[in-house]
Amino acid sequence: MRDPENTRKQIISSASILFNTKGYKATSISDITKKAGLTKGAIYKHFKDKSDLEKSCLINMTGILFSDITKHIKNGKDARSKLFSILEYFAQYGKTPPFEGGCPLLNAAVEADDGDPELKKVVCKIVNGLQSGISKVVQNGIDRKQITDDFDVNEFASVMYSAIEGAIMMLKVTDNDDHLQYVIKFLKRDIDNKTLKA
């Protein structure tokens, strides 16, 4: 007899790979059953429909991403090193991507933009969470007198996240991570210009 929790994990793992490489719309339930080695009944026992499975997979993949980034942030001793550690995490994206197929958030955002309002809501919530995390690091740095107080917290968080995602898209399109490295160098320079010396 199958363990329901392990079956759910198996479905999410198999479907996530397909959604992130083949696309959400292009992946059928039959593709997922074949990949997972399960029946359609097993999938619908755990997920009410394909849309529910799509959202669950995206939340799972971005949860892994958040967990990795949080570990990097915790290793930083001050705002500058925390922000740099986020950038260094993404600097390795070309060499050691955490997921086959690229950034799950970027992939879902592009596909959900006009055609899938439910998935778009999930993407929006996750993007806001990521930007909020960056804002929090910057605000803590200002509060602790590590960063100048003229650093616009929300503006920087938006630019940092948008620039990284754009650079990851360029990496995927060109198979060259120069754009990503340029963006990271630019952001580090901006952070250094706003860092108060101890």
Side-chain angles (χ1 to χ4, degrees), residues 9 13 16 26 35 40 47 102 118 145 170 182:
K9 284 179 183 173
S13 173
S16 292
K35 178 93 173 158
K40 285 185 182 180
F47 303 94
E118 287 303 308
K145 310 291 184 208
M170 293 292 285
Y182 294 149

Side-chain angles (χ1 to χ4, degrees), residues 8 21 34 38 40 49 62 76 83 87 89 103 108 115 119 132 135 139 149 152 171 181 184 186:
R8 183 180 169 84
T21 54
K34 198 179 295 181
L38 297 167
K40 285 185 182 180
D49 53 27
T62 52
L83 291 169
L87 294 171
Y89 170 78
C103 176
L119 191 61
S132 176
S135 294
Q139 188 60 58
D149 59 10
D152 187 315
L171 164 65
Q181 300 310 320
I184 287 166
F186 177 85

Side-chain angles (χ1 to χ4, degrees), residues 126-195:
I126 295 166
V127 166
N128 288 338
L130 267 168
Q131 287 187 214
S132 176
I134 296 168
S135 294
K136 188 175 176 185
V137 172
V138 176
Q139 188 60 58
N140 286 342
I142 291 169
D143 294 344
R144 294 174 181 153
K145 310 291 184 208
Q146 298 166 354
I147 292 177
T148 59
D149 59 10
D150 64 339
F151 206 158
D152 187 315
V153 174
N154 294 323
E155 177 186 274
F156 177 77
S158 177
V159 168
M160 178 172 168
Y161 178 71
S162 301
I164 289 169
E165 282 292 10
I168 290 171
M169 181 271 294
M170 293 292 285
L171 164 65
K172 287 294 293 174
V173 169
T174 65
D175 292 321
N176 183 328
D177 81 341
D178 285 353
H179 301 286
L180 181 58
Q181 300 310 320
Y182 294 149
V183 162
I184 287 166
K185 273 172 69 178
F186 177 85
L187 291 168
K188 283 184 174 181
R189 211 161 45 235
D190 197 29
I191 294 163
D192 273 337
N193 287 337
K194 299 291 186 178
T195 299

